[in-house]
Amino acid sequence: MRLLFIGDIIGKPGRVMVKHHLPKIKEKYSVDFVVANYENASHGFGMTPKNYREIKNSGIDVMTGGNHSFDKKEIFDLLENEPILRPLNMYEELPGKGIFVSVEKKLAIISLMGDFTMPRFNNPFRIIESYIQELEDYVIFIDFHAEATAEKRAMFLMLKNKISAIVGTHTHIGTDDLVIDKGAGYLTDIGLTGCFDNVIGMSEKEPLQRCKTGFSKKYDVVDECKKIFQAVVFDFDGKKCVDAFKIKAYDFEEEFISQKAFRL
């Protein structure tokens, strides 16, 4: 099985890049399954039903969330009925689910959120193990939406003998540590898909004001910018990850393989 994962899709520029690049990349690289993080898809905060349909139709099978999963309240019904995940360690009484399971494909997709600097929910390190025990014969892919690089790395080291791959999201800045360790793929952060010539996909005006004064208006996404598409591809043989590489594309130029996995 070949799985492709797209990191934080930021606003309209991110959606434009997904619609332009994903269909071609799926065909070129014979991708079997696509996962993407949606939590910034609608002007940087959450996702509307309209934007969900827009990017889903580009070829996304399952979407993972994070701390902005509930920013757009009109998506609550879709969280219950569509393959849209919110973090597994959020409280059970909240809308949606944190795991997608395909019995036919023997595939499980999990959305998980870190603890450091994030909204407080259940401890992700404690809650995840009980779920993966029931999926030992499945390909298990985790989007770990977390701030601290050390927290992401610690999660991988705890789970690497039990899962197939884990990729970090949330910081919007891609890292260069794509590895395969004992049959498990890992990348600290895939990086954003959207504007890359400002601040984490947002207009620099508000972040600069916050840096100078401690206060600012809500962060904003501009329509005109230099854009990037970033994704990571994992090949699985049975449950084990056997190959991985990262794909990038700038604006509407041809995509290229920017990083290949190092085997530990």
Side-chain angles (χ1 to χ4, degrees):
M1 175 186 292
R2 173 164 280 186
L3 181 147
L4 180 145
F5 177 63
I6 306 168
D8 305 67
I9 300 169
I10 314 292
K12 182 179 179 180
R15 300 195 309 270
V16 166
M17 292 294 278
V18 169
K19 289 188 292 183
H20 180 83
H21 289 287
L22 180 57
K24 295 185 294 182
I25 288 173
K26 281 187 67 175
E27 181 177 2
K28 180 177 179 178
Y29 294 95
S30 300
V31 173
D32 299 305
F33 201 87
V34 177
V35 183
N37 187 291
Y38 69 86
E39 74 138 22
N40 303 117
S42 294
H43 212 70
F45 299 92
M47 181 174 64
T48 64
K50 177 183 177 182
N51 292 156
Y52 165 67
R53 291 187 291 270
E54 178 185 1
I55 55 177
K56 177 179 170 57
N57 290 339
S58 301
I60 298 171
D61 296 294
V62 174
M63 298 189 197
T64 51
N67 54 302
H68 292 297
S69 288
F70 297 136
D71 282 10
K72 300 291 189 288
K73 304 301 185 289
E74 58 266 40
I75 204 173
F76 280 14
D77 286 344
L78 291 184
L79 283 167
E80 296 286 353
N81 300 300
E82 294 288 329
I84 309 171
L85 305 179
R86 47 81 167 162
L88 181 68
N89 52 315
M90 285 182 166
Y91 301 131
E92 291 184 0
E93 58 264 35
L94 292 172
K97 53 195 176 296
I99 183 168
F100 168 90
V101 176
S102 170
V103 176
E104 178 185 359
K105 295 181 180 292
K106 286 286 186 179
L107 172 66
I109 309 298
I110 298 174
S111 180
L112 196 64
M113 187 167 67
D115 187 51
F116 179 70
T117 79
M118 302 293 256
R120 293 305 301 270
F121 290 103
N122 293 313
N123 184 322
F125 288 84
R126 297 180 69 88
I127 197 170
I128 186 62
E129 291 189 292
S130 62
Y131 282 89
I132 62 177
Q133 284 174 2
E134 301 174 1
L135 299 164
E136 59 181 0
D137 296 327
Y138 282 64
V139 170
I140 301 174
F141 173 81
I142 299 174
D143 169 6
F144 190 29
H145 197 77
E147 181 74 36
T149 56
E151 190 178 18
K152 297 176 189 180
R153 182 70 184 167
M155 181 66 75
F156 172 65
L157 293 177
M158 185 181 80
L159 298 178
K160 69 179 181 180
N161 295 318
K162 304 173 183 177
I163 63 169
S164 307
I166 181 170
V167 177
T169 53
H170 181 64
T171 68
H172 298 189
I173 305 300
T175 58
D176 67 349
D177 58 344
L178 179 62
V179 297
I180 299 173
D181 187 355
K182 292 182 171 58
Y186 172 77
L187 182 62
T188 297
D189 204 291
I190 179 59
L192 66 85
T193 288
C195 296
F196 76 96
D197 58 347
N198 40 41
V199 178
I200 61 168
M202 311 281 185
S203 166
E204 66 272 20
K205 179 181 177 182
E206 289 78 19
L208 281 172
Q209 184 182 26
R210 184 172 298 181
C211 288
K212 288 181 175 181
T213 68
F215 299 94
S216 73
K217 295 180 180 179
K218 186 177 181 180
Y219 282 19
D220 191 25
V221 178
V222 299
D223 288 340
E224 298 298 325
C225 60
K226 298 293 184 181
K227 296 181 285 293
I228 191 171
F229 175 92
Q230 300 188 82
V232 61
V233 174
F234 292 103
D235 286 332
F236 302 112
D237 183 3
K239 181 174 179 173
K240 296 211 176 272
C241 180
V242 295
D243 197 15
F245 55 92
K246 185 174 178 180
I247 295 173
K248 283 186 180 181
Y250 292 101
D251 290 319
F252 303 121
E253 298 176 4
E254 191 75 10
E255 92 293 331
F256 60 95
I257 295 176
S258 63
Q259 188 180 164
K260 293 187 177 181
F262 178 75
R263 286 176 170 78
L264 296 177

